[in-house]
Amino acid sequence: MRAPTFDLTLLRTLVAIADTGSVTAAATRLAYTQSTVSMQLKRLESQLDMVLHEREGRRVRFTPEGQRLLAHARRLLALNDDAWADMQARQVTGELKLGIPEDYATLLPSVFTYFHQLYPAVGLEVICGTSADLVARAKRTELDLALVTRQRNSPGGEVIRREPLIWAVGVHQQPSLSDPIPLALYSPGADVFREIAEQALQAAGRDWRVAYTSQSMAGLAPIVTAGLAVVVVTRSMLTPLLRPLDENSGLPPLPSIELALHRAPHRPSEPARRLGELIREQLAAAVNL
């Protein structure tokens, strides 16, 4: 006698109903007809010989037995999906080049770890540079992907996250905020942060001086933490040694910047497509676009 076995298709329908709250919404999610969803739910009840749900108008409420099965269904489907992804991942091979500004590398450690676990046969090379340079290299197909700050003179790419810019100073020491304000800025052309900061100060009628320049935050941080300059960063770039300034500082508010994912113009390779999906999921999950 064969041991009874759950049909994962029926369990997936059960979970879809639970997640959406109705047969109609579940049908839309699964690309089924409503009658198919209803039939699959009844079939599951028939196999178990128990009532799993009750109707409340158009809504579906699960009985205690339905709730118990739902918990099992989620675990079984998760295990199935993990196994399927693992078997498929082992078939993905190749080389992949990702360009990213040094300041954004801290956003992706978990993505790199997970990507390597899923696709150990893919050789990933991460190349740091300025946003403008990385976009140009992606257009020349020197990079498969480039995660950058969207530049005003080179739009495009897929916007996957928006972050407000803020003024920041050293956590223990800060300069005088009277004019001219000492600024630690990116080198000209390195990113839009400098342009945005200067335009905001000019519009507010404030005067400033450039105290220090660098291609990355790693170069700007020492003079800022020493209390000799103000810097412009996103919140994700704040470190324990930096303190954000609020509206009481007298400095003008700053707009948000957009993080965009650029792809080489040729059809993306399978490794590039999958890494792009992981980056999108990781960064978009933290901020509502």
Side-chain angles (χ1 to χ4, degrees):
M1 179 179 177
R2 291 186 302 174
T5 304
F6 280 108
D7 184 332
L8 293 181
T9 299
L10 302 183
L11 295 182
R12 200 174 293 278
T13 297
L14 183 78
V15 170
I17 295 172
D19 289 345
T20 62
S22 73
V23 169
T24 301
T28 300
R29 171 188 283 194
L30 298 170
Y32 292 158
T33 64
Q34 294 182 38
S35 59
T36 298
V37 172
S38 298
M39 180 184 66
Q40 289 183 343
L41 183 55
K42 291 178 181 178
R43 183 179 169 193
L44 193 55
E45 291 179 321
S46 177
Q47 289 178 349
L48 293 170
D49 192 24
M50 60 181 62
V51 177
L52 301 176
H53 78 291
E54 297 174 348
R55 292 278 190 168
E56 292 182 346
R58 294 185 177 181
R59 307 289 295 179
V60 173
R61 185 179 69 83
F62 286 102
T63 64
E65 290 77 12
Q67 293 287 353
R68 286 170 57 198
L69 179 59
L70 181 62
H72 291 302
R74 292 190 188 280
R75 290 195 295 270
L76 288 170
L77 289 171
L79 182 59
N80 171 83
D81 294 347
D82 286 346
W84 185 267
D86 179 67
M87 297 307 296
Q88 292 295 308
R90 303 296 166 173
Q91 302 175 27
V92 178
T93 61
E95 302 297 321
L96 177 60
K97 291 184 178 181
L98 168 69
I100 185 171
E102 181 181 335
D103 297 331
Y104 291 160
T106 56
L107 296 173
L108 299 180
S110 60
V111 170
F112 295 149
T113 298
Y114 189 46
F115 184 80
H116 179 68
Q117 291 173 347
L118 288 177
Y119 314 111
V122 174
L124 173 61
E125 181 180 355
V126 180
I127 300 168
C128 291
T130 66
S131 291
D133 179 59
L134 293 173
V135 171
R137 294 186 65 177
K139 290 181 178 179
R140 296 195 299 265
T141 71
E142 296 173 11
L143 300 173
D144 297 286
L145 298 169
L147 178 67
V148 302
T149 307
R150 179 178 266 187
Q151 306 296 293
R152 297 184 179 184
N153 59 352
S154 58
E158 176 191 1
V159 176
I160 57 176
R161 181 166 175 161
R162 293 184 179 90
E163 284 200 50
L165 291 177
I166 55 176
W167 304 99
V169 293
V171 68
H172 298 300
Q173 302 182 72
Q174 74 170 63
S176 168
L177 299 182
S178 58
D179 291 353
I181 304 165
L183 299 180
L185 297 173
Y186 285 103
S187 303
D191 219 318
V192 295
F193 288 37
R194 180 182 185 129
E195 178 185 352
I196 290 174
E198 291 179 340
Q199 288 181 351
L201 290 171
Q202 184 176 9
R206 301 296 303 270
D207 191 19
W208 71 92
R209 64 181 178 86
V210 179
Y212 196 78
T213 63
S214 175
Q215 294 275 40
S216 70
M217 189 60 202
L220 299 177
I223 196 168
V224 177
T225 56
L228 301 179
V230 180
V231 72
V232 175
V233 294
T234 65
R235 289 205 173 273
S236 64
M237 292 166 59
L238 284 173
T239 71
L241 296 178
L242 295 179
R243 175 174 59 85
L245 295 174
D246 57 26
E247 62 277 5
N248 296 323
S249 68
L251 296 182
L254 297 170
S256 295
I257 53 95
E258 297 176 331
L259 273 66
L261 187 63
H262 289 256
R263 297 171 175 82
H266 57 68
R267 182 178 179 181
S269 65
E270 190 62 17
R273 186 183 68 80
R274 299 198 182 200
L275 179 59
E277 290 176 353
L278 288 178
I279 291 174
R280 183 192 306 110
E281 291 171 4
Q282 171 74 13
L283 298 189
V287 177
N288 293 323
L289 298 181

